[in-house]
Every structure is written in C-alpha cells, then in structure tokens.
Amino acid sequence: MKAVLDHVGIAVKDIGAALAFYRDVLGLEVEAPEEVASQHVRAHFVPVGGPNLELLEATSADSPIAKYVDKRGPGLHHITLRVDDIHGALAQLRARGVRLIDERPRPGAEGATIAFVHPAATHGVLLELKQAGEAASHQPLAISHDVRPSPLQPPASVRDASVRRFSLGDLELISLCDGFIGLDGGAMFGTVPKPLWEQQAPPDGRNRITLAMRPLIVRGARTMIIDAGLGDKENAKFEDIYGVQRERNLEQTLADAGLTVDDIDIVLASHLHFDHAGGFTVRDAAGRVRPRFPRAQYIVRRGEWEDATHPHERNRASYLPDNYVPLAEAGVLQLVDEDATIMPGVKVRRTGGHTMHHQMVLIESGGRTAAFVADMMPTTAHLPLAWIMGYDLYPMDTLAAKKAFVPDAIAHETLVFFEHDPAIAAGHIREEAGKRRVVPAVTG
Ligand SMILES: [Zn+2]
Ligand SMILES: [Zn+2]
C-alpha cells in the first residue's frame, strides 16, 4: 500500500503547559482546536511544514487520551499514515492476520475516515490509518427544497475523483469517476436565474460549470457497469469546447476499483448521450471502433436507441453514432422495450423528461434501496423540483418524475447516486421541517 506520514499525535495532560512550550517557547503556530466529540478529544494541529504535530487534550475522564495519560503519562500517542484507499488497506492487513482495533473505517477529524491498528502488531506504536476527506464533507451539506440555495452548499469547484464503495445487501456498488467536463451553467439549470445557480456551481470564464462523469459498478450475480462516461475517442477541439478534464481514463478508474474491462458482464445505458455512452466503445490501433468491454452484453432501451439513431436538429449534438452503432454491428446489443429486471436486484424505470426514453436504475437488496438517477437529477444542486436542465427535451416530464421519486427516496432512505455531481457521488435525501437536502454518503 502507498502511505505517507500525515501527523504525529501527542497526548498532553495540561494543554496550557503544552502550548507554553510548543507555541511560546518553540514559537510554532497552533491552529484553532477541533473537537472530536466521539473520542472526547480536542485536537490542536501544529503545522510544521510537512506532517503536522497534533496535540491531543482529553475533554472528559473517559476519553482514550485521559486513560492513556493516566496509565503512561503524557507523550507520543500515535502516528498517522495517510492512504488513498482505507478499505483496501484494511483488507490487505486483515488478509495477513494483522491485529486491528477498527475492523471497519470510522469518521475522524476534518471529514477523514480513519482506522487504528493495534500496537501489538506495530511493535508498540499505535498506528492510525487515514483516508483524507474531501472538502465537501467538512460540514454537513444542505441544499434547500425551495429555490434559495443554502449557504452551506460547498462550491462546485470542489472536485472528487475517488472511487467509492458501498454495500447494499448482497450487492456491492462502486462509484467510478471518468473525469470532468464543463457544460454551460445556464443550460444545466434551465429557468433558474444565474444569481441563484452560480452560488451552487461557480462558472468559469466561459460560463461553464464543472460536472463529473460517474459510472456505477454493480457486483452481484454478475458484474454490471451503468453508463461509461465520455470515452477517449474525441478530438482536441471537442475537449476544448466541453472543458474535458481527465487525469485518468475509465480503465484506470476501473483498476482503482480492482476491475478490468474483462470483468464486466453487462453494460447498461441510462441513455445514449455522449457523456454517458462515450466509454461504451474504443478506437483500436487500426482506427476501428469496437466495444470496449469484450465480454459484455450492452443493454439499451429500444425507444432511446431509435431516437439516437434518428436524431433531429435539437438533439443531434448529443448523439455521436460511434458510441453505439458499433455495438449493433458487433452483435452485443440487446434492446429492452419496457421497465424490466436486468439482473437480480437491478431494474430499470423510464423517467422520460431528459429524453423521451431516459431511464433510471433502481437497485434493491437486503431490504435496502439505491437509485442511479442519471440525468433526471444530475447533481445534488438539482434536488429542488424546479431546478431542471435546459437540455431536457420534455421538462414537465422531468418534473413529474422528480415529484414521484424524491418523496419515495426520502421514505425508503434510498442511497441516491448523482452521476454528474463534481463532489458528491452519492447521498441520502432528507427532509426536515419542509426543507430537503442531500446528506453525502462517503461509504457504507
Ligand atoms: Zn443526457
Ligand atoms: Zn449527462
């Protein structure tokens, strides 16, 4: 595993005396303390030009820091290594029989996820593993139900490209990231005035806002990918117009999830716009376009296929035939006519609105539900009912679909995947005192 030293934790008995040394004698800067309520600890970070020092002060007698100081006196308490994938790191340690204090990661300071390894395994040093939280999780995220955006909403310039794993009953859901594109902010928010949407999604100098492309892997009886991002077939002019920012491609984000294109049995399309179906095909060395997932059946709704293969003036720019026509030629295309179960626990439901046959994916296992809503609600900012994209061909149908879906998602605590949200891959919609908001789900 790749790990870097993040900080060194020092248990202190008397914070005043400790500050008198670290701050006043050494002359170091000490940041405003942060309370970690679950641990009954107050943490004072001391930046020292690399890994920080962290002075830990107990806030109650049953704090682990109080117990530590009682038993061993103040002193070096733990060291923290930062890892990219804490789940993977714990799995690796478990596989080697390493004694852990935390079998599963839990929330730490600053929105991070942490887990402790037992000193018995580490030759006497309490070791904390930490996966840094994205800025979005520093504070509870709130998006109001009416048109007024909430001041708590983080700027959409916060980007998170990490792979996120969730378990849902017997299924594993893995949110991938195929990078980011910039689309016109006005088009993304339809009739919503710019003074409102620009607070949620700050535009660049060309009025474009940052959007992620997040395909979803569902692992169960078979391995499915829902949508596949933009792909790699477009030229520099296209990438400039659409502000394509991709540090890594789909193969790399699949690799982060421990998968390759050969693992995919089923490719399911929400619809065939280029930012969803672009990754369905690749151009090979000979310049031929072929299916990207060599073993997969590709499942597309028949009405969407008809529309994509017979575009009109209004939707033509969104449908690029190289993304889907080669699937039919290769004999890997399967058209479904209506709402159906695609594999155990996974079914499609037509929403219409964005395109006539746009569909979302409902996932159910072990009494829990998840939904991949695609372009019905592309980002968490699209939660308010009237925040509907200008791109939508049938906006009143989008409105009806949202009106049906959102109360249901609240009632069933559905884990909702937001395919285009730059910072939040998934979350739960909550309603309190008539206000709706999305509470981000980091993992689960
Ligand atoms: Zn679309
Ligand atoms: Zn889209």
Side-chain angles (χ1 to χ4, degrees):
M1 88 185 62
K2 211 179 113 231
V4 295
L5 182 59
D6 184 86
H7 68 264
V8 174
I10 299 165
V12 306
K13 193 180 166 89
D14 176 350
I15 186 66
L19 290 177
F21 175 74
Y22 285 96
R23 185 187 57 199
D24 304 330
V25 176
L26 290 182
L28 300 174
E29 184 201 331
V30 179
E31 289 181 6
E34 180 174 1
E35 207 90 36
V36 186
S38 62
Q39 295 288 300
H40 307 284
V41 162
R42 199 173 290 136
H44 305 252
F45 279 98
V46 185
V48 284
N52 290 331
L53 301 180
E54 183 191 37
L55 305 178
L56 297 161
E57 175 196 6
T59 55
S60 88
D62 53 12
S63 160
I65 294 299
K67 289 179 190 155
Y68 183 92
V69 170
D70 278 350
K71 205 167 140 192
R72 308 173 66 162
L76 181 62
H77 178 260
H78 69 267
I79 65 167
T80 298
L81 296 178
R82 195 167 64 242
V83 295
D84 288 333
D85 175 9
I86 195 165
H87 288 269
L90 287 177
Q92 186 180 332
L93 295 175
R94 253 196 314 269
R96 297 189 184 181
V98 169
R99 187 166 165 198
L100 301 173
I101 294 175
D102 297 302
E103 290 290 329
R104 291 176 61 85
R106 57 190 169 87
E110 294 189 309
T113 340
I114 60 161
F116 282 97
V117 182
H118 200 280
T122 59
H123 304 263
V125 182
L126 180 60
L127 173 64
E128 179 187 38
L129 298 177
K130 164 178 165 180
Q131 183 179 332
E134 66 274 34
S137 56
H138 279 204
Q139 52 189 5
L141 171 71
I143 294 161
S144 60
H145 174 31
D146 58 20
V147 290
R148 288 232 145 261
S150 156
L152 291 179
Q153 171 78 6
S157 50
V158 175
R159 296 196 290 150
D160 181 4
S162 54
V163 164
R164 301 251 173 233
R165 289 170 185 273
F166 303 86
S167 61
L168 191 87
D170 299 331
L171 302 176
E172 185 181 22
L173 309 181
I174 310 173
S175 171
L176 306 179
C177 182
D178 187 45
F180 301 88
I181 52 173
L183 294 180
D184 186 84
M188 280 305 295
F189 292 105
T191 58
V192 178
K194 185 171 180 180
L196 296 183
W197 65 250
E198 73 180 351
Q199 296 174 39
Q200 308 265 344
D204 67 10
R206 294 157 86 179
N207 209 45
R208 299 174 303 191
I209 63 166
T210 299
L211 298 163
M213 292 168 289
R214 304 188 186 278
L216 183 67
I217 298 281
V218 184
R219 300 195 83 179
R222 311 182 71 190
T223 299
M224 168 189 282
I225 187 169
I226 307 170
D227 290 354
L230 182 67
D232 315 279
K233 301 186 299 297
E234 306 315 322
N235 61 23
K237 183 181 171 200
F238 179 99
E239 298 205 344
D240 175 57
I241 290 172
Y242 291 106
V244 177
Q245 302 164 51
R246 290 164 92 222
E247 285 85 30
R248 301 170 313 153
N249 65 15
L250 192 64
E251 268 81 358
Q252 286 160 316
T253 181
L254 274 169
D256 290 348
L259 295 168
T260 71
V261 290
D262 293 307
D263 292 316
I264 306 298
D265 302 306
I266 301 169
V267 181
L268 176 60
S270 65
H271 63 306
L272 292 173
H273 285 170
F274 63 73
D275 52 323
H276 300 252
F280 286 2
T281 58
V282 283
R283 197 186 310 279
D284 65 21
R288 262 179 52 103
V289 178
R290 56 173 176 77
R292 174 180 232 124
F293 303 97
R295 295 179 40 253
Q297 277 288 313
Y298 287 70
I299 300 179
V300 179
R301 210 173 176 98
R302 185 182 300 277
E304 178 67 15
W305 177 266
E306 293 300 327
D307 286 350
T309 50
H310 302 84
H312 50 65
E313 292 78 1
R314 175 74 199 296
N315 64 11
R316 183 164 287 135
S318 301
Y319 286 124
L320 308 179
D322 265 356
N323 294 339
Y324 44 85
V325 171
L327 306 176
E329 290 164 351
V332 296
L333 179 69
Q334 192 182 328
L335 297 178
V336 294
D337 289 291
E338 52 197 31
D339 293 352
T341 295
I342 306 298
M343 73 178 208
V346 182
K347 59 188 179 191
V348 291
R349 181 190 290 168
R350 191 178 80 86
T351 67
H354 182 62
T355 68
M356 179 62 87
H357 300 276
H358 176 275
Q359 61 189 0
M360 64 176 172
V361 185
L362 299 173
I363 307 162
E364 223 179 290
S365 183
R368 297 176 59 210
T369 62
F372 183 87
V373 296
D375 279 348
M376 177 179 76
M377 258 195 301
T379 75
T380 55
H382 290 83
L383 177 60
L385 295 173
W387 290 50
I388 290 172
M389 286 193 279
Y391 292 112
D392 287 12
L393 296 179
Y394 309 96
M396 292 306 291
D397 293 345
T398 306
L399 178 63
K402 287 170 77 174
K403 274 184 161 167
F405 172 76
V406 173
D408 195 69
I410 294 167
H412 292 96
E413 302 210 335
T414 300
L415 178 63
V416 183
F417 287 87
F418 297 95
E419 190 171 7
H420 287 313
D421 196 288
I424 297 161
H428 295 92
I429 305 173
R430 297 268 152 77
E431 185 165 39
E432 283 146 26
K435 295 270 183 228
R436 288 174 180 171
R437 64 195 178 103
V438 173
V439 180
V442 174
T443 190

